[in-house]
Amino acid sequence: MKISVSFTLLLLLGSVSPSENVESQQPFPQDIYAALRKMTASLVQLKADMMLLQREITDITLHLKAEVNKQKAEIGQQKTEVDKQKTEVDKLKQQLNVRQVAFSASLLAGGKGNKYIGPFRTDTTLIYKHVQTNIGNAYNSNTRVFTAPVRGVYHFEWFITGNNGAHAAGAMLVKNSENVFMAWEKLNYGNASNGVTLLLEVGDIVFVRLSADNVVRDKESKHTTFSGHLLFPM
Ligand SMILES: *[C@@H]1O[C@H](CO)[C@@H](O)[C@H](O)[C@H]1NC(C)=O
């Protein structure tokens, strides 16, 4: 468009330029008509150029709008991502707060000398009455069970000592209603132990169950014990 405008100006100037006036002094009306025709042609060209320009502007505007909308959508997506990460961080913070879980308990509340638990006609949950350590309070000595406060990997170990061999001493570690591992012996005051690592969900319970017709023994030196630790949350 610039080119045609300059061209039109040249034409207008040219028609009154001194050199032309000197060299070819054309008669009056024809001169004007020729100039008018040229101007008309230029105007038509100018109009066409303007329409083109307008179309270009419209195109550019549409393109910019589309670009802005795209960037808006991208920003929206990034916001969603940030929110998601915030939620993740909150979850991790929460997990950190309940990361310290460790307990150890032994069978007898106190007293001196051997005491025997059992035999019972059915499998019976052992109540570890002496709570030595209970960080995080996940072991409840009233309900006799350990309850996982956080999803994670836990390690448990349990030690038993039996009687004079008249009965076996067997203690099963139970997760919810699943029998996991057994510690068992039948010697003259024999000992047995076992350990296990478990992935627990929040609220899973773990406890030790004395087998039916079995006997465990303990005394002040504490031989029959149950311990558990959270290794790491997941
Ligand atoms: C079991 O351990 C106790 C000591 O903790 C020991 O007096 C006893 O002899 C052990 N039993 C056997 C069969 O080794």
Side-chain angles (χ1 to χ4, degrees):
M1 192 195 104
K2 246 183 203 164
I3 292 168
S4 63
V5 171
S6 319
F7 182 61
T8 311
L9 284 173
L10 256 178
L11 282 173
L12 287 170
L13 290 172
S15 63
V16 291
S17 74
S19 60
E20 238 181 45
N21 278 345
V22 172
E23 275 171 26
S24 58
Q25 287 176 341
Q26 284 175 6
F28 168 68
Q30 287 91 337
D31 234 10
I32 273 283
Y33 289 139
L36 276 174
R37 268 198 301 277
K38 278 179 187 167
M39 277 177 70
T40 307
S42 296
L43 275 173
V44 168
Q45 181 61 45
L46 206 68
K47 207 174 163 188
D49 286 347
M50 272 183 67
M51 276 171 71
L52 206 77
L53 196 70
Q54 220 156 28
R55 210 180 301 154
E56 269 173 28
I57 289 173
T58 309
D59 282 354
I60 289 171
T61 308
L62 284 176
H63 179 76
L64 284 176
K65 266 188 189 161
E67 191 60 32
V68 165
N69 282 339
K70 216 176 93 186
Q71 289 188 1
K72 263 189 193 165
E74 268 171 26
I75 288 171
Q77 253 175 13
Q78 286 175 0
K79 250 189 183 170
T80 312
E81 191 57 33
V82 166
D83 285 348
K84 232 172 76 184
Q85 289 184 0
K86 264 189 194 159
T87 311
E88 192 61 28
V89 166
D90 285 348
K91 213 176 96 186
L92 286 174
K93 269 188 191 163
Q94 218 173 5
Q95 282 186 347
L96 271 179
N97 286 341
V98 287
R99 213 164 93 169
Q100 295 170 328
V101 181
F103 79 93
S104 268
S106 67
L107 206 54
L108 303 179
K112 283 202 164 189
N114 285 321
K115 286 201 176 115
Y116 301 90
I117 308 290
F120 303 113
R121 292 166 56 137
T122 55
D123 293 353
T124 303
T125 302
L126 285 174
I127 313 172
Y128 295 86
K129 288 181 178 159
H130 173 75
V131 179
Q132 181 72 37
T133 307
N134 197 7
I135 297 181
N137 281 313
Y139 179 71
N140 186 323
S141 54
N142 297 318
T143 60
R144 320 160 199 185
V145 300
F146 171 86
T147 306
V150 63
R151 182 177 199 267
V153 174
Y154 294 78
H155 183 74
F156 297 93
E157 49 206 44
W158 60 112
F159 295 76
I160 53 172
T161 178
N163 62 10
N164 57 7
H167 296 87
M172 175 75 80
L173 185 116
V174 183
K175 170 188 164 184
N176 298 324
S177 58
E178 174 198 348
N179 289 337
V180 182
F181 289 170
M182 170 71 99
W184 192 92
E185 64 78 33
K186 196 185 178 192
L187 291 166
N188 195 13
Y189 296 104
N191 307 291
S193 63
N194 212 335
V196 66
T197 297
L198 291 174
L199 170 62
L200 299 180
E201 303 295 335
V202 174
D204 276 351
I205 60 170
V206 174
F207 52 96
V208 175
R209 202 149 56 188
L210 176 67
S211 302
D213 201 36
N214 280 208
V215 172
V216 286
R217 174 181 63 95
D218 206 4
K219 57 181 189 177
E220 63 276 14
S221 38
K222 301 182 181 78
H223 300 264
T224 299
T225 64
F226 178 33
S227 298
H229 322 91
L230 169 62
L231 297 180
F232 48 86
M234 279 188 67

